[in-house]
Amino acid sequence: MLNKAKTNVFEDWLSNPRKDILSGLVVAFAMIPEAIAFSGIAGVDPQVGLFGAFCLSITIAIVGGRMGMITSATGSTALLMTGVVATGNAQGEGLGLSYLIAAGLLTGVFQILWGYLRLAYQMRFVPTGVLSGFVNALALLIFQAQLPQLGLNLHYGQDVIKGQADHSLPIGMQIPIVWLLVILGLVIIYVLPKITRLIPSQLVAILILTIITVSLNIDIPTVKDLGQLPLGLPNLSLPFGSVSEGKVPFNLETFGIVLPTALAISLVGLMETFLTQDILDDITDTNSNKNKEARGQGIANIISSLFGGMAGCALVGQSVMNTENGGRTRLSTFASGISLLLMILLGKHWLEQIPMAALVAVMITIAISTADVNGLKNISKIPRSDTAVMLMTFSVTMLTTPHNLALGVIAGVALAGILFSRKVAKVISVKGIKVNDQELTYEVTGQLFFVSKIYFLQGFDTHNHPRKITIDMSKAHIWDQSGVAALDQIIRKLSIGGSNVNVVGLNEESLNLFERLGGQEPSHG
C-alpha cells in the first residue's frame, strides 16, 4: 500500500517536472491580465482577482479532481458578483468587498455539498442548446463590460465602476488613442500565432502596448487607475465584524444578501469547470472525477475567500494552453500559482503601467473565443427546438437585472424539458385491429406516462362497444401514476359501454404498478 501511494504521488506530481514547470510559468503570464480585468468587471481592486487566482491555483492543484486544469478568477463568476458588490458599496465603503468574500465562502460550501450530492451526474443531462446559449451570453457580457473602457459607457456597468476615480475611464482625446491601441493589440493577438507560438500572443500584445504608452508618455487609463495592487502576501481574515471596520455582520440578513450570488456562482462555476474538464479529458484521452473536482473547487473558493481573493472556476483557455504546452500533472497547476505570486510581488511596478487598452484587447479576444461561433454559423442546420433552447438561455440571461447566467441556464433546461416531453409524447401509438364483428384488439406500442397520456387516450374509440375488447400492452411500458390512470380510464369507459375488456401483455414492472394503483383488476394472459 505504501509503495502504491508513493507511485500515485510521483505520477500526480513528479512524472513530468520540466514541462510542467515551464508550462505553469507561461500560463501564469496569461492569467495576470485576466485576473486584473475580471476584478474590474466585478468592481473590486485588482489585488482581489490576483489573490484569488493565486490561491485557487495552489489549492486546486492539491485537492482537484482533474490534473493539469487551471482554476482562477473568471468572467462568468465575475459577472455574477457585480450586484452583491454594488449592494455592499451602497451601504458603506468597503462593504462591497466584504459581501463578495462572504459570498465566496458560501459558494465553496455549496460546491462541496454539490460534490457529495453528485451534481456532476445531473449536469450530464444539460442539453447542448443550453450550453450554447450560456457561452454566447457570457461572451456578450464580457464584451459589454469592456465598453466603458472604450468610451462607450451607455449606462452599462455603472455599478461596476461606482466608486472608482474619474480617470479610470478614457475621456476626450484619450478615446481615439485607446481605440487605436486596442486595434493594434487585436492585430498582434491574432496575427502573431501565425508566425510563432513560442510566446503567448496575448502576453506579447500587453508588452508592446505597455512599451508604447510608457515610452511615448501617453496619458490613458492604466491598471494603477483600477485600484490597489498587492503590496505583499495575502492575510488570512474573515469578512464578518463591525460595519465601521468595513466588515459585514454575521447574521441572517447578510446570508439573505449573499445567498443568490453564492448559489449562482456555485452552479455556473461548476458548469464551466465540468465543460473544461470534458475538453481536457478528450484532449488527453483520460478520465477524471467530476464530483471530486466539485468538492475541490469548493475548498479552493473557501481558501481564496479567507485570503481576500474572489471566487472562481476553471479557465478553458488557460487549461487548454497548459495541456498543449505539455502540462499534465498537478505540478503544472501548482507552478502556475507560485509563478503568478512571484510575478505579482516582484513585478508590481510593471503591472501598474499596463494600459487598460491592452486588457480590453485581451478581453475582446476572450469574448470571441468564448462564444459558440460554430453553432451560430450553423444555426440554420440546427433543429429548431435546439435553437429555441439556446435563444431562451441567452435571452433570459441578458434580460435579467443584474444579468443572471444561472437563471438563464434554468430557463433553458426547463424549455428543453418541455420540448423533449412533446417529442417523447408522440412515441406511443395505439392500433385498432378488428378480429370480427364481436371482437376488437388494440395494440399499444411505446411508453405510457404523464406526457404521452393524451395520445394514448386519443387512440381508442370509446363509442364503439363490441362484446370483447383486448388491449395488448406487450410492446408498451407504464411508467407512472398518470399512465395507470389513463389505462384505468379506458378500461372503465369501454366496460361501461358493455364490452368485456381484457388487458394482456403487461410486463412485470407495469403490472405491479397497475395492480397497486389501478381502479380495476385487469385480466392478463
Side-chain angles (χ1 to χ4, degrees):
M1 290 294 292
L2 185 61
N3 290 335
K4 184 177 180 180
K6 288 182 178 179
T7 300
N8 289 337
V9 170
F10 178 81
E11 291 179 352
D12 289 354
W13 288 89
L14 302 174
S15 60
N16 188 40
R18 186 181 66 84
K19 288 185 177 180
D20 283 335
I21 293 174
L22 290 176
S23 179
L25 178 62
V26 173
V27 168
F29 275 107
M31 290 167 66
I32 290 176
E34 292 191 18
I36 295 173
F38 293 143
S39 298
I41 290 177
V44 294
D45 290 339
Q47 69 175 6
V48 180
L50 292 169
F51 280 158
F54 157 67
C55 293
L56 289 167
S57 295
I58 294 297
T59 308
I60 206 67
I62 300 170
V63 299
R66 164 76 239 183
M67 293 191 298
M69 191 159 68
I70 305 299
T71 293
S72 180
T74 64
S76 58
T77 55
L79 287 164
L80 296 171
M81 299 171 184
T82 59
V84 74
V85 172
T87 299
N89 287 337
Q91 295 180 12
E93 185 178 354
L95 293 183
L97 176 58
S98 294
Y99 276 122
L100 176 62
I101 299 301
L105 291 171
L106 187 56
T107 294
V109 173
F110 276 135
Q111 290 181 327
I112 293 173
L113 178 63
W114 303 150
Y116 281 110
L117 292 178
R118 300 178 179 273
L119 183 66
Y121 293 137
Q122 308 306 319
M123 285 195 173
R124 291 181 302 174
F125 302 107
V126 176
T128 300
V130 172
L131 295 176
S132 179
F134 168 79
V135 296
N136 287 332
L138 174 59
L140 182 56
L141 290 174
I142 292 174
F143 177 77
Q144 280 187 335
Q146 310 313 308
L147 297 182
Q149 287 292 341
L150 291 171
L152 301 174
N153 190 17
L154 306 177
H155 303 291
Y156 177 85
Q158 290 289 347
D159 292 335
V160 176
I161 64 172
K162 186 175 181 180
Q164 293 182 356
D166 291 338
H167 56 273
S168 63
L169 297 177
I171 57 174
M173 290 305 298
Q174 290 180 335
I175 295 177
I177 297 174
V178 167
W179 275 79
L180 288 173
L181 290 173
V182 169
I183 293 172
L184 175 59
L186 291 173
V187 170
I188 294 171
I189 291 172
Y190 284 115
V191 173
L192 184 62
K194 298 179 180 179
I195 301 173
T196 178
R197 292 182 177 271
L198 187 61
I199 304 176
S201 60
Q202 292 177 335
L203 179 60
V204 174
I206 292 172
L207 290 171
I208 291 177
L209 294 189
T210 302
I211 291 171
I212 291 174
T213 55
V214 172
S215 60
L216 298 179
N217 196 26
I218 299 176
D219 181 24
I220 58 172
T222 66
V223 169
K224 185 178 181 180
D225 298 320
L226 283 180
Q228 181 65 50
L229 284 172
L231 298 175
L233 293 172
N235 296 317
L236 179 66
S237 65
L238 288 172
F240 308 111
S242 172
V243 174
S244 61
E245 298 176 354
K247 304 286 187 177
V248 295
F250 185 72
N251 55 27
L252 290 177
E253 182 181 357
T254 298
F255 178 79
I257 292 174
V258 302
L259 176 61
T261 300
L263 187 60
I265 293 174
S266 70
L267 294 174
V268 171
L270 286 186
M271 178 172 291
E272 188 167 351
T273 296
F274 293 157
L275 176 63
T276 306
Q277 202 167 351
D278 284 338
I279 292 173
L280 296 189
D281 285 352
D282 182 59
I283 292 175
T284 60
D285 194 23
T286 58
N287 295 316
S288 55
N289 190 326
K290 285 188 173 63
N291 292 306
K292 181 179 179 181
E293 182 63 35
R295 297 192 294 269
Q297 291 284 330
I299 295 171
N301 278 322
I302 290 175
I303 297 297
S304 174
S305 300
L306 289 175
F307 283 95
M310 61 197 294
C313 63
L315 285 166
V316 178
Q318 279 75 0
S319 296
V320 172
M321 179 191 297
N322 184 46
T323 301
E324 290 179 345
N325 289 338
R328 289 292 186 272
T329 73
R330 298 182 184 276
L331 180 60
S332 62
T333 308
F334 187 84
S336 69
I338 292 295
S339 299
L340 177 63
L341 179 64
L342 293 175
M343 291 177 193
I344 294 171
L345 298 180
L346 301 178
K348 176 176 177 293
H349 177 69
W350 176 79
L351 291 177
E352 289 179 336
Q353 298 182 70
I354 296 176
M356 288 304 301
L359 299 186
V360 170
V362 171
M363 296 307 296
I364 290 175
T365 61
I366 290 173
I368 295 172
S369 63
T370 299
D372 181 17
V373 178
N374 288 331
L376 293 174
K377 286 181 179 179
N378 298 317
I379 196 167
S380 60
K381 302 176 183 178
I382 297 173
R384 285 183 294 178
S385 59
D386 290 347
T387 301
V389 169
M390 184 273 287
L391 291 175
M392 171 65 80
T393 306
F394 178 84
S395 300
V396 170
T397 299
M398 299 306 300
L399 294 176
T400 49
T401 305
H403 302 297
N404 195 323
L405 288 161
L407 191 59
V409 169
I410 292 172
V413 170
L415 179 60
I418 293 171
L419 296 177
F420 175 74
S421 297
R422 291 184 60 186
K423 291 179 181 179
V424 172
K426 299 178 181 180
V427 300
I428 196 164
S429 64
V430 180
K431 181 180 180 182
I433 301 174
K434 184 177 180 180
V435 179
N436 51 55
D437 291 341
Q438 298 299 320
E439 186 174 353
L440 180 63
T441 297
Y442 287 100
E443 289 186 353
V444 182
T445 304
Q447 313 301 313
L448 179 56
F449 62 115
F450 72 99
V451 175
S452 62
K453 172 182 176 180
I454 184 66
Y455 297 97
F456 172 79
L457 295 174
Q458 291 173 353
F460 291 86
D461 183 0
T462 55
H463 302 289
N464 182 21
H465 301 288
R467 186 167 61 184
K468 182 179 180 181
I469 294 180
T470 300
I471 301 177
D472 185 358
M473 301 286 292
S474 58
K475 297 179 181 179
H477 186 94
I478 302 176
W479 286 101
D480 61 6
Q481 185 177 2
S482 296
V484 171
L487 180 57
D488 190 54
Q489 180 180 340
I490 287 296
I491 294 173
R492 185 170 62 253
K493 285 186 176 182
L494 295 177
S495 298
I496 291 174
S499 299
N500 179 22
V501 182
N502 293 315
V503 179
V504 299
L506 280 172
N507 59 42
E508 183 177 354
E509 184 178 348
S510 300
L511 180 61
N512 290 338
L513 186 63
F514 189 84
E515 289 179 341
R516 282 189 287 114
L517 302 178
Q520 296 192 37
E521 182 71 21
S523 300
H524 32 268

